[in-house]
Amino acid sequence: MRQLFFLLLWLVGLSVQAQSTEKLYDQAKAFYDAKNYAKAVPLFQDAAKKGHKKAQYRLGLCYDKGRGLKEDDKQAFHWYELSANQGYAKAQYQLGRCYKKGEGTTQDIAKAVSLFSKAAKQENADALYALGKCYLKGQGVTADKAKAKSLIMKAIRDKKDGAEILEKIRKDAKEGDEDGKQILALIGKK
């Protein structure tokens, strides 16, 4: 009976900690969305250190973009990795991007493709697009234009991020980017 009491007490403690970590994250995200990074970062740090995967991802973004603290690719990589290891698609995409570009780590296209694939399976539009580009160019995978087209079309059809991705492709093509031009031709968009 006594063991059951302590077990219940421990479970209640875990639940309270999870709620307080979620509140930290929500407060930090509100500051972040308001572009008040100086207030967001310490809250993200507290929640991230407690294992909150979205806080770890956002802290990675802060380091990656220099929002509220000094830009640091290694720290960005570290926090993206912690979040990605918990299965968070946005972090998996960002970690894949780090591996693809060699930012904060050694360049490793195979790891990038693996991470893009994991995030794409969760319908992350940025990952679908990045994976599509890998198939188009044969980076880390065998080139496959049909697969590339399928992935890129799925990315641009995403309700949340698709229009932004298509706009970026069009902008790149307009500025003379060969990849952008090739992608627009592949997907039949102008």
Side-chain angles (χ1 to χ4, degrees):
M1 186 67 153
R2 193 169 194 212
Q3 288 176 329
L4 182 60
F5 173 75
F6 285 114
L7 177 62
L8 287 173
L9 192 59
W10 179 73
L11 288 173
V12 168
L14 283 178
S15 176
V16 169
Q17 180 183 348
Q19 289 174 356
S20 66
T21 303
E22 192 64 33
K23 278 187 177 182
L24 272 175
Y25 172 75
D26 290 343
Q27 290 172 338
K29 179 79 165 61
F31 284 126
Y32 183 91
D33 290 344
K35 297 186 181 356
N36 189 341
Y37 306 123
K39 287 189 177 180
V41 167
L43 298 172
F44 280 142
Q45 288 170 326
D46 288 346
K49 288 175 186 174
K50 293 177 181 176
H52 193 282
K53 66 185 178 185
K54 290 181 181 180
Q56 291 167 337
Y57 161 74
R58 289 282 171 187
L59 187 55
L61 270 182
C62 289
Y63 278 112
D64 196 3
K65 308 295 183 195
R67 295 178 179 157
L69 35 70
K70 186 177 179 223
E71 191 174 314
D72 185 331
D73 288 344
K74 288 187 181 199
Q75 281 295 312
F77 177 87
H78 169 75
W79 291 107
Y80 287 150
E81 184 174 42
L82 289 175
S83 180
N85 287 341
Q86 294 188 65
Y88 193 54
K90 289 181 179 183
Q92 289 169 331
Y93 162 72
Q94 289 294 346
L95 189 62
R97 190 188 55 75
C98 290
Y99 275 116
K100 186 172 183 193
K101 294 182 175 185
E103 293 179 353
T105 189
T106 304
Q107 187 177 36
D108 188 331
I109 301 299
K111 283 184 181 177
V113 168
S114 174
L115 286 157
F116 292 155
S117 296
K118 287 178 183 180
K121 285 178 184 171
Q122 296 179 64
E123 305 296 320
N124 179 278
D126 289 320
L128 287 162
Y129 176 61
L131 188 58
K133 282 181 70 175
C134 289
Y135 274 101
L136 182 63
K137 299 172 94 179
Q139 293 179 321
V141 292
T142 302
D144 183 337
K145 285 189 178 186
K147 180 118 177 139
K149 181 178 180 178
S150 172
L151 290 163
I152 293 168
M153 291 300 293
K154 196 170 185 179
I156 64 172
R157 287 185 183 133
D158 181 81
K159 288 181 182 2
K160 183 178 176 207
D161 298 315
E164 185 178 324
I165 291 170
L166 181 57
E167 187 57 36
K168 182 190 179 322
I169 297 167
R170 287 179 171 147
K171 181 179 178 259
D172 290 348
K174 188 176 181 181
E175 292 174 356
D177 179 78
E178 291 303 316
D179 288 348
K181 291 177 185 178
Q182 186 179 9
I183 291 167
L184 286 179
L186 177 72
I187 62 175
K189 299 276 185 183
K190 291 186 180 185

